[in-house]
Amino acid sequence: VRVREWYAALEGSVESDGDILDGTRVDFGSDLGLDDAAFTSELQAYVRFPFFGRIYAGWWWLDREGDETLSRTITFADQTLTASTRVQTELNLDVYYLSYEYALPTIPLGELFQLELGVLVGARAILAEAAIDSALGSGSDEGGIGLPVLGGRAALQMTKWLRADVELMGMTVSYAGRRASYLEAFAEVVAQPFTWLYAGVGYKFAQVEVSDDSGSSDFLLDVNISGFYLTAGIRF
């Protein structure tokens, strides 16, 4: 079981075409002031089966709130908000995942180093919701999608107590009025003072694009999230 505390910066945009009005592509930074780095959390559990591989399950989430004066007129979820309007913004993004890793034979590198390689296949469920509120009007919209992902992992055991890992997963799918593009990568170094305890630092990047046209409104979210994180875990 492990936890990550990810100090992540956010950039991207959101758009909601309502039943009546076409929406404006609203930038999280220049329009809503949501681009400052803030903590994002992740929980993960995995089980390792001899001769079979590993199964991972986890969840990471992002909750951001902003308070900004608009510099231009925007339309979101059938609400038009004019320039100089004070708006309060809320963005919620949840990513649930399940992955299977098939571990390839370990490659010894010299007397101390060992290289582990693995092939990953899994699924992601992405749920997103955005709301823009003001004294003159409020609008909110949401979208969601599930998609398969493929990727790989490499781990270098440098000593008995020091290890480095790199992982990359992603996929693009489209079906039933929904479209998603997902890319996730991280690199980390962890110390293992005991066989049951580890902790370290890393850097993670996630690119999430969700387009959901299945309902009465069209919702589009496009975000890049990146930053350093602290991680700790226990094995039992």
Side-chain angles (χ1 to χ4, degrees), residues 121-141:
V121 59
R124 296 291 189 272
I126 305 170
L127 303 175
E129 182 178 4
I132 303 177
D133 301 324
S134 76
L136 302 177
S138 302
S140 64
D141 204 353

Side-chain angles (χ1 to χ4, degrees), residues 63-97:
D63 297 318
R64 297 289 174 86
E65 295 182 353
D67 191 334
E68 193 80 2
T69 299
L70 293 176
S71 59
R72 63 182 179 125
T73 298
I74 66 170
T75 300
F76 184 83
D78 277 338
Q79 297 294 323
T80 298
L81 304 171
T82 59
S84 302
T85 301
R86 194 75 178 180
V87 296
Q88 292 75 46
T89 309
E90 184 174 357
L91 171 67
N92 299 313
L93 176 65
D94 295 275
V95 178
Y96 302 89
Y97 60 88

Side-chain angles (χ1 to χ4, degrees), residues 2-79:
R2 73 182 299 174
V3 62
R4 282 192 181 107
E5 285 298 325
W6 183 16
Y7 192 64
L10 168 71
E11 61 180 29
S13 60
V14 65
E15 182 178 343
S16 175
D17 295 335
D19 297 327
I20 303 172
L21 301 175
D22 290 337
T24 305
R25 182 69 69 93
V26 184
D27 188 271
F28 288 126
S30 59
D31 291 322
L32 303 177
L34 292 179
D35 52 347
D36 292 337
F39 280 105
T40 297
S41 300
E42 179 177 352
L43 298 175
Q44 182 188 91
Y46 73 84
V47 180
R48 183 174 184 176
F49 298 94
F51 310 109
F52 178 75
R54 292 180 178 180
I55 294 178
Y56 299 84
W59 166 43
W60 64 265
W61 64 96
L62 181 147
D63 297 318
R64 297 289 174 86
E65 295 182 353
D67 191 334
E68 193 80 2
T69 299
L70 293 176
S71 59
R72 63 182 179 125
T73 298
I74 66 170
T75 300
F76 184 83
D78 277 338
Q79 297 294 323

Side-chain angles (χ1 to χ4, degrees), residues 18-236:
D19 297 327
I20 303 172
L21 301 175
D22 290 337
T24 305
R25 182 69 69 93
V26 184
D27 188 271
F28 288 126
S30 59
D31 291 322
L32 303 177
L34 292 179
D35 52 347
D36 292 337
F39 280 105
T40 297
S41 300
E42 179 177 352
L43 298 175
Q44 182 188 91
Y46 73 84
V47 180
R48 183 174 184 176
F49 298 94
F51 310 109
F52 178 75
R54 292 180 178 180
I55 294 178
Y56 299 84
W59 166 43
W60 64 265
W61 64 96
L62 181 147
D63 297 318
R64 297 289 174 86
E65 295 182 353
D67 191 334
E68 193 80 2
T69 299
L70 293 176
S71 59
R72 63 182 179 125
T73 298
I74 66 170
T75 300
F76 184 83
D78 277 338
Q79 297 294 323
T80 298
L81 304 171
T82 59
S84 302
T85 301
R86 194 75 178 180
V87 296
Q88 292 75 46
T89 309
E90 184 174 357
L91 171 67
N92 299 313
L93 176 65
D94 295 275
V95 178
Y96 302 89
Y97 60 88
L98 183 67
S99 302
Y100 164 70
E101 178 190 352
Y102 176 74
L104 301 174
T106 301
I107 303 172
L109 301 175
E111 297 182 0
L112 296 177
F113 290 7
Q114 289 187 332
L115 179 63
E116 299 175 11
L117 301 175
V119 178
L120 293 161
V121 59
R124 296 291 189 272
I126 305 170
L127 303 175
E129 182 178 4
I132 303 177
D133 301 324
S134 76
L136 302 177
S138 302
S140 64
D141 204 353
E142 61 184 11
I145 193 171
L147 73 158
V149 290
L150 297 173
R153 185 183 67 89
L156 181 63
Q157 191 74 44
M158 293 175 281
T159 69
K160 290 183 177 181
W161 58 271
L162 190 62
R163 177 185 178 92
D165 287 80
V166 177
E167 184 178 301
L168 175 67
M169 296 192 75
M171 182 67 77
T172 297
V173 299
S174 179
Y175 63 89
R178 294 180 172 92
R179 181 184 181 277
S181 179
Y182 186 85
L183 178 65
E184 177 185 317
F186 72 81
E188 68 180 29
V189 176
V190 297
Q192 306 170 111
F194 308 101
T195 56
W196 55 272
L197 175 68
Y198 62 92
V201 297
Y203 185 88
K204 183 173 180 176
F205 169 83
Q207 183 180 53
V208 183
E209 182 179 344
V210 176
S211 176
D212 190 344
D213 303 339
S214 61
S216 58
S217 61
D218 298 344
F219 178 79
L220 173 62
L221 177 76
D222 183 6
V223 294
N224 293 333
I225 310 160
S226 60
F228 290 94
Y229 64 81
L230 299 175
T231 185
I234 58 172
R235 298 185 180 97
F236 50 89

